[in-house]
Amino acid sequence: MAESALLALAQLTTTGTLLALFTGVVVGLIVGILPGLGGTAGLALLLPLVFGMDPNAALALMIGLVAVTTTSDTFPAVLMGIPGTSGSQATVLDGFPMTKKGGGTRALSIAFVSSLVGGVFGAFVLSFAVYFAQPVILQIGFGEQFMLVILALSMVGILTGSNIWKGLAACSLGLLLGALGSAPLSGVQRATFGVEYLLDPLPLVVMGLAMFATPEIVDLLRRQSSISETGTLSATGWLQGLKDWGHNWWLALRCSMIGSIIGALPGLGGSVVDWIAYGHAVQSTKNRESYGTGDPRGIVAPESANNAKEGGALIPTLLLGIPGSGSMAILLGGLVLIGIEPGKDMIDNNMDKVYLMIWSIAAANILGAGICFFLAPQIARITTMRYVLIAPFMIGLIFFAAFQATRSWGDLIALLLLSILAIYMKRFGWSRPALLIGFVLSERVEASVYQTVTLYGITFLERPIVLVLLALTLTSIALAILFKPSAAEAVTEEGPHTHRQLGPQWLFILGVIALAVYILVDGLQFNRLTGLFPMVASISTLVFLTPVVMTMLRWRAPSGFFYDHERTAASASGRSAEFYIGMILVMLLVSGLIGFVLGIATFIAFFLYRSAGQPWWKSVLGGAGFVLFLAILSDQLTLRYPTGLLQMFVSLPWPLQ
Amino acid sequence: MFLNIKTLLFCAAAAVAGTAPFAVQANDFTLEGKTVTWIVGFSEGGGTDRLTRVLQTKLSDHLPGNPNVIVLNKPGGGSVIASNDFHKNAPADGTTLIMASTSTLLPVLLGSKVAEYDPNEWVAITGFARGATMYAISDELGLSGTDMQADYEALKSANIRFGTETPLSAELLDFVSMEMLGVDARYVFGLSSKDAEAAFQRAEMNVNTDNTRSYLKDYGDDPKVNPVWSYGVIDAAGQLQRDPDLPDIPTFPEFYEAVRGESPSGTAYELQKSLMNAKVMLSKAVMLPKGTPDHIRDVYIKALKAVTSEPDVVAALPREIGSMPLNFGDETQRAMALGTQMAPEVRAWAARFLEERFDTSLD
């Protein structure tokens, strides 16, 4: 062991390999910081280069890239509330509120030190796990995976928001939205509304952007301030962040452990890791009120977990040749290309390669976090700018990000529609994290229930690991109930909980009911393999909505069931949320005519001129700047952008196509 | 009917193209300064994407004018969305090509409504055959691997657990093959090939199907896991031969003949052969859009022949797809026709089989 480890260290510290690692880290940081792109896109770009390269250098290059994308994706998540990858969704919950209080640098600092320690911890676990993890992983069968999914789903209990029924309904709605499109058990198209885009389930990244990014953009536009509400940025934030991490080192280690375990086990996949870690943080603290308002623990937990996850996901990839995540799948492909065949053979004969990977993960995490630390204070300054100046670029960025999901117009339309849903969920006090957890787990719930029942019936409960997981799940639910925060805010006649003017809330709920009923009816026409799950999800949505509807019908006093944020907030811009939704719609319509590149450029220029009051030449320059940004990405990352009617008739020069 | 008219038109077009004198000489065609977009209907990192990127590195060197070659991933519906778009919109000027795979052909073969394309109209350049085999945990099922008749009896009485994606996926080939033999199994759906493989490693499943290459990598030296049969490969003369990577393993028809005393025939076997063509012979295929002139096709065939002879690519191909011979041009086009068409009575059989066995409608 020590011999291979030292040999690997010697291999890593040659100039060529170090240079490759550094290149990998830099590319990884860049694709990570760009919303919508991540490890998978980055690795795909490197594959042709890797082909024919020295194996050690190729390994360092690929690992360097994969290891750090979850470090740099924190920038847009924390500073702008844009979760550019599925791994940064939970970070937004507390990271962005902290930024809004002027703590941008502090939030980044917490995140980077958490990422660093989490990543190194993942490498550390990996270095032992290669010797004994195989039998453990092979114990995780369908029954165990099913219980893991249920355990993850139970995290919803503590993320339901102020009203438990609306929270559970949101989670069911998430399950429901996850069930649109091709059924995982039969491949049959269900609830597609006749749209080709829905042949596949809605992409998670689009869902994450819609749930968290758009509502914040609209909110900030209405408040007309900078992202940092104070307009300042604490100069000693990075030091404060280090201290915050120090206070929570034990939580960080626990979450790193969770991250590497979940990453290694089959059944859940990497995209839930950060939610489980976040849920664990909330569960294990008594004073929960500060979560969601910029609590450092809400950043430590997901950021520790999602970097540790990569080391964990490497375990099944190396031991069994079965990738533990999307980026691991492509890494596996890359390994095969350079002639390394993961599996038992590699552990027996190529241990130095395994250690080279482990060292690379550790080194990449340190290097990546170091670079990010260095850049953080500069980049964080963006939060002190007037938001109207950044907003149009943010809108361009989230639509760019969404388009990377399947590279079709459907991505843009889905983002708009789901954003509208999210804006009203926010306004009416529906938990968006609850919806997202339901959505992420939807397919796994459907498949694992069916597979477990088909293979084992009820006897899966006789398996020991299942029982342990069951006990954990029950504990998790009990904790959620026991430590339920006492009613945080008073329900008054004047506040958002008023029983007057329920019209908008009625409209929203009726919309949700209509969707659930539509999918219920749609499910009736299929066999059980296709139709059962969406029907169950619809029915549970309707059941959880019943108390809400009953209260709205009967109750004539302020109540926790009622919530309308519009009753408190005054819009500084004098504009309604609907105005901004309309504006985004117009942007998409224009893009439909002249293509996304020209459309978004026109939108940015027009917005800067009219809404931000910039001189015309600056506005045009802003639009042109974004075109340049898109052009560089198109060139470097071989991307293409949505085209409009214009492009069908006229062939335009690159990058306006 | 629908297919037949299209095929007829296609044949007519091919005949016209064949007899007409070449208007443009091959050596006039250049892609200098152009960008060639190679569409992949799957996400980055899958098998189809990887193979495309291996070939992409060398393609530019062998095309006239050395154009910039990029790979564009447009995932959705198992390549159906990208294929629909390619069929309707791709320009036939040699600047756009697609990497088709078995998943591209299956919906067409099965007559799925979502597939609004006919790959028979596309112009085939290269087909990559990739062997496939059905393997099992031998001692659990009581298979000796030496006596086919005894193995057959064991299979019929065993409690077979088989994890697959959906009833309408490429594993339909295995379902039909087992049905022909009267072998029953408990099918568990909703498992990607990666998930099914993992479940097989845990012994929760005891039968699995995979490409030969993956089988050999994972279980080649594991005495407990052995192939029951392979699906073989069709040679240039149109005859089914044993899988070159599994020379000692009987092909499915050999196994059938040994245990049933007669060679396979009938509608079920017609379906089995179509599915075998789609799954094995055209595991991946490089295609140009419909209406692409012959001189451009020839340039690409020449380029792909050169690319697949590059030492780096030659070294990488066995790791990606195994060691089956590649097919080019007309040969690929023929396999395409076989892998995407079903006679009405075969289709009726398939529909009834899916309905009775899996409660799944073919429409």
Side-chain angles (χ1 to χ4, degrees):
Chain A
M1 177 175 171
E3 203 179 311
S4 324
L6 287 176
L7 175 62
L9 191 59
Q11 287 170 349
L12 179 64
T13 45
T14 58
T15 326
T17 319
L18 276 181
L19 198 66
L21 182 78
F22 184 76
T23 314
V25 168
V26 170
V27 177
L29 291 176
I30 293 172
V31 291
I33 207 170
L34 291 168
L37 300 169
T40 338
L43 274 180
L45 282 174
L46 289 188
L47 268 192
L49 300 179
V50 163
F51 184 54
M53 226 168 128
D54 162 55
N56 289 340
L59 264 186
L61 180 72
M62 291 193 290
I63 297 275
L65 186 144
V66 187
V68 299
T69 50
T70 48
T71 305
S72 63
D73 67 1
T74 310
F75 278 113
V78 160
L79 295 182
M80 303 158 196
I82 296 179
T85 60
S86 56
S88 59
Q89 287 167 351
T91 312
V92 175
L93 289 195
D94 277 289
F96 194 51
M98 187 181 278
T99 299
K100 287 204 279 189
K101 291 177 179 170
T105 327
R106 177 180 165 199
L108 287 176
S109 169
I110 300 174
F112 295 142
V113 67
S114 302
S115 294
L116 191 163
V117 176
V120 174
F121 184 89
F124 182 70
V125 169
L126 177 62
S127 66
F128 292 99
V130 287
Y131 292 102
F132 64 81
Q134 181 159 3
V136 181
I137 293 174
L138 290 178
Q139 284 303 308
I140 307 298
F142 290 111
E144 288 78 7
Q145 294 182 26
F146 169 53
M147 283 314 302
L148 275 173
V149 172
I150 299 299
L151 176 61
L153 203 57
S154 76
M155 294 294 165
V156 163
I158 39 140
L159 294 169
T160 53
S162 61
N163 185 287
I164 183 125
W165 295 106
K166 280 157 86 175
L168 292 175
C171 178
S172 305
L173 183 61
L175 291 172
L176 195 68
L177 290 172
L180 303 184
S182 175
L185 304 177
S186 66
V188 173
Q189 319 302 324
R190 64 188 180 196
T192 58
F193 301 87
V195 178
E196 191 184 56
Y197 181 69
L198 284 175
L199 287 187
D200 278 349
L202 292 165
L204 176 58
V205 164
V206 175
M207 184 59 92
L209 290 168
M211 285 297 128
F212 296 121
T214 332
E216 289 298 341
I217 292 175
V218 169
D219 239 33
L220 283 165
L221 275 173
R222 297 182 67 194
R223 283 200 285 107
Q224 295 277 303
S225 67
S226 53
I227 293 179
S228 162
E229 281 156 10
T230 55
T232 57
L233 192 65
S234 155
T236 55
W238 65 273
L239 199 64
Q240 179 64 40
L242 287 181
K243 282 187 196 156
D244 287 328
W245 187 89
H247 291 311
N248 294 297
W249 66 272
W250 176 228
L251 175 70
L253 284 191
R254 287 194 326 262
C255 290
S256 303
M257 184 63 91
I258 291 176
S260 39
I261 292 178
I262 305 266
L265 297 184
L268 276 180
S271 33
V272 224
V273 166
D274 49 333
W275 286 111
I276 294 182
Y278 188 86
H280 170 72
V282 182
Q283 266 175 353
S284 57
T285 40
K286 277 192 178 169
N287 50 337
R288 294 183 189 162
E289 292 75 21
S290 58
Y291 281 100
T293 62
D295 191 312
R297 292 169 297 191
I299 307 172
V300 168
E303 285 302 307
S304 304
N306 69 23
N307 276 53
K309 165 194 88 190
E310 295 303 326
L314 254 179
I315 296 171
T317 314
L318 296 182
L319 290 181
L320 307 172
I322 290 177
S325 66
S327 46
M328 285 305 139
I330 192 161
L331 178 70
L332 194 64
L335 293 180
V336 174
L337 268 186
I338 55 176
I340 297 175
E341 300 265 349
K344 192 175 166 299
D345 194 48
M346 178 173 186
I347 306 296
D348 293 344
N349 304 321
N350 273 326
M351 208 54 202
D352 56 319
K353 291 281 177 291
V354 175
Y355 275 101
L356 181 61
M357 289 191 212
I358 294 170
W359 286 116
S360 300
I361 295 182
N365 269 290
I366 295 168
L367 192 61
I371 296 176
C372 287
F373 259 117
F374 179 72
L375 295 174
Q378 310 307 319
I379 298 184
R381 283 195 193 163
I382 196 170
T383 61
T384 59
M385 287 173 69
R386 271 176 67 208
Y387 195 67
V388 274
L389 294 180
I390 342 176
F393 298 101
M394 295 293 114
I395 292 172
L397 207 56
I398 61 170
F399 278 93
F400 161 83
F403 185 69
Q404 302 314 317
T406 74
R407 319 238 154 90
S408 78
W409 258 96
D411 295 320
L412 308 187
I413 296 163
L415 176 57
L416 176 70
L417 294 177
L418 294 171
S419 295
I420 295 174
L421 172 71
I423 287 167
Y424 289 108
M425 283 180 76
K426 188 169 187 229
R427 172 172 165 184
F428 299 132
W430 286 55
S431 164
R432 287 164 291 150
L435 180 137
L436 209 62
I437 290 186
F439 181 80
V440 174
L441 291 172
S442 182
E443 186 176 329
R444 294 301 308 153
V445 173
E446 176 170 13
S448 70
V449 173
Y450 152 83
Q451 286 153 358
T452 306
V453 171
T454 307
L455 266 184
Y456 297 107
I458 197 72
T459 63
F460 79 99
L461 285 172
E462 291 163 10
R463 297 166 70 98
I465 302 179
V466 169
L467 293 176
V468 172
L469 291 170
L470 184 66
L472 277 176
T473 308
L474 293 176
T475 317
S476 148
I477 295 171
L479 282 174
I481 298 169
L482 278 178
F483 296 125
K484 195 176 185 311
S486 48
E489 38 184 337
V491 286
T492 60
E493 193 85 10
E494 311 308 321
H497 295 290
T498 178
H499 61 291
R500 297 177 201 287
Q501 293 182 308
L502 290 182
Q505 291 181 63
W506 270 118
L507 270 180
F508 179 76
I509 286 200
L510 289 175
V512 174
I513 291 176
L515 177 71
V517 169
Y518 172 85
I519 288 170
L520 182 62
V521 173
D522 180 81
L524 283 171
Q525 58 176 307
F526 299 112
N527 66 7
R528 273 192 315 156
L529 221 47
T530 307
L532 186 62
F533 180 73
M535 284 164 64
V536 170
S538 319
I539 291 170
S540 60
T541 309
L542 295 173
V543 167
F544 291 134
L545 276 177
T546 311
V548 184
V549 171
M550 294 308 282
T551 315
M552 286 176 75
L553 282 173
R554 299 267 171 100
W555 200 254
R556 292 286 172 266
S559 155
F561 277 96
F562 307 140
Y563 189 89
D564 190 342
H565 194 68
E566 292 297 304
R567 299 281 153 267
T568 53
S571 167
S573 72
R575 301 288 193 189
S576 66
E578 289 75 17
F579 171 80
Y580 290 107
I581 294 173
M583 207 171 66
I584 296 174
L585 178 67
V586 169
M587 184 273 286
L588 282 187
L589 289 175
V590 172
S591 298
L593 285 176
I594 59 177
F596 178 71
V597 179
L598 283 174
I600 192 69
T602 313
F603 168 78
I604 289 172
F606 189 74
F607 188 98
L608 288 176
Y609 184 69
R610 285 296 298 269
S611 296
Q614 294 298 301
W616 68 267
W617 60 273
K618 271 192 184 171
S619 307
V620 170
L621 216 59
F626 201 74
V627 172
L628 183 69
F629 165 78
L630 291 176
I632 292 172
L633 290 185
S634 160
D635 183 50
Q636 294 297 312
L637 306 175
T638 64
L639 302 176
R640 292 292 177 268
Y641 301 112
T643 55
L645 282 175
L646 179 67
Q647 279 80 2
M648 284 174 72
F649 300 109
V650 192
S651 124
L652 290 174
W654 176 87
L656 304 180
Q657 302 147 346
Chain B
M1 191 64 199
F2 183 63
L3 266 176
N4 288 343
I5 291 174
K6 280 196 168 173
T7 319
L8 216 69
L9 280 175
F10 168 70
C11 292
V16 171
T19 50
F22 282 116
V24 187
Q25 290 300 306
N27 52 17
D28 288 347
F29 175 68
T30 178
L31 288 159
E32 199 177 340
K34 298 241 172 75
T35 295
V36 171
T37 307
W38 199 340
I39 294 166
V40 173
F42 303 90
S43 305
E44 290 91 344
T48 309
D49 178 63
R50 278 204 312 274
L51 180 61
T52 312
R53 286 174 193 273
V54 168
L55 302 172
Q56 173 208 3
T57 53
K58 306 287 177 196
L59 181 58
S60 176
D61 298 348
H62 297 287
L63 284 174
N66 306 109
N68 180 24
V69 178
I70 66 162
V71 172
L72 190 63
N73 300 78
K74 282 170 105 177
S79 84
V80 164
I81 292 179
S83 302
N84 282 344
D85 182 47
F86 179 79
H87 191 78
K88 268 178 268 179
N89 302 324
D93 58 0
T95 58
T96 308
L97 53 163
I98 194 167
M99 191 65 145
S101 87
T102 305
S103 322
T104 317
L105 310 187
L106 265 188
V108 179
L109 174 66
L110 300 174
S112 162
K113 279 193 289 272
V114 296
E116 295 160 6
Y117 55 90
D118 181 0
N120 288 299
E121 292 181 25
W122 302 351
V123 176
I125 307 169
T126 321
F128 295 84
R130 186 172 72 162
T133 174
M134 210 186 80
Y135 55 93
I137 303 177
S138 303
D139 46 354
E140 196 190 326
L141 298 182
L143 304 176
S144 66
T146 48
D147 180 351
M148 281 190 246
Q149 192 67 44
D151 285 357
Y152 178 49
E153 298 304 327
L155 277 180
K156 279 202 292 191
S157 58
N159 175 15
I160 297 178
R161 298 183 304 273
F162 189 3
T164 72
E165 198 149 11
T166 67
L168 287 171
S169 51
E171 285 87 52
L172 189 52
L173 174 62
D174 308 281
F175 306 157
V176 172
S177 301
M178 294 198 346
E179 173 77 12
M180 286 174 68
L181 287 167
V183 172
D184 202 6
R186 185 137 48 123
Y187 298 104
V188 179
F189 295 112
L191 297 166
S192 67
S193 57
K194 165 177 84 91
D195 297 336
E197 155 88 28
F200 183 81
Q201 284 191 358
R202 295 192 299 265
E204 288 193 291
M205 300 297 161
N206 51 23
V207 158
N208 197 28
T209 183
D210 208 337
N211 61 74
T212 308
R213 159 80 195 139
S214 297
Y215 160 76
L216 286 173
K217 179 170 80 72
D218 298 331
Y219 305 105
D221 51 2
D222 186 343
K224 294 199 277 295
V225 175
N226 296 296
V228 184
W229 59 67
S230 84
Y231 291 100
V233 59
I234 298 168
D235 65 14
Q239 296 301 309
L240 186 73
Q241 303 294 339
R242 283 193 176 183
D243 189 326
D245 292 317
L246 294 172
D248 302 326
I249 305 299
T251 62
F252 171 74
E254 280 182 83
F255 186 89
Y256 186 97
E257 194 168 345
V259 302
R260 298 290 285 256
E262 55 177 2
S263 46
S265 60
T267 40
Y269 188 48
E270 292 305 312
L271 177 62
Q272 202 268 357
K273 285 194 286 189
S274 292
L275 289 163
M276 184 272 177
N277 260 290
K279 182 167 174 171
V280 175
M281 298 313 292
L282 292 175
S283 171
K284 319 275 174 237
V286 187
M287 312 283 289
L288 285 162
K290 61 180 173 185
T292 302
D294 277 358
H295 69 277
I296 298 183
R297 177 187 91 137
D298 296 341
V299 161
Y300 267 97
I301 291 178
K302 195 164 149 246
L304 257 300
K305 278 184 175 163
V307 167
T308 49
S309 316
E310 287 264 358
D312 284 352
V313 177
V314 170
L317 280 183
R319 293 201 288 266
E320 288 293 329
I321 55 167
S323 47
M324 288 199 166
L326 309 181
N327 48 64
F328 292 93
D330 294 338
E331 207 186 322
T332 312
Q333 207 90 50
R334 266 200 304 278
M336 186 71 69
L338 283 169
T340 50
Q341 287 167 31
M342 253 195 289
E345 68 274 14
V346 176
R347 199 182 145 75
W349 188 92
R352 201 170 54 246
F353 169 65
L354 284 162
E355 196 68 57
E356 284 170 9
R357 192 64 190 74
F358 303 113
D359 185 24
T360 295
S361 158
L362 193 49
D363 311 300

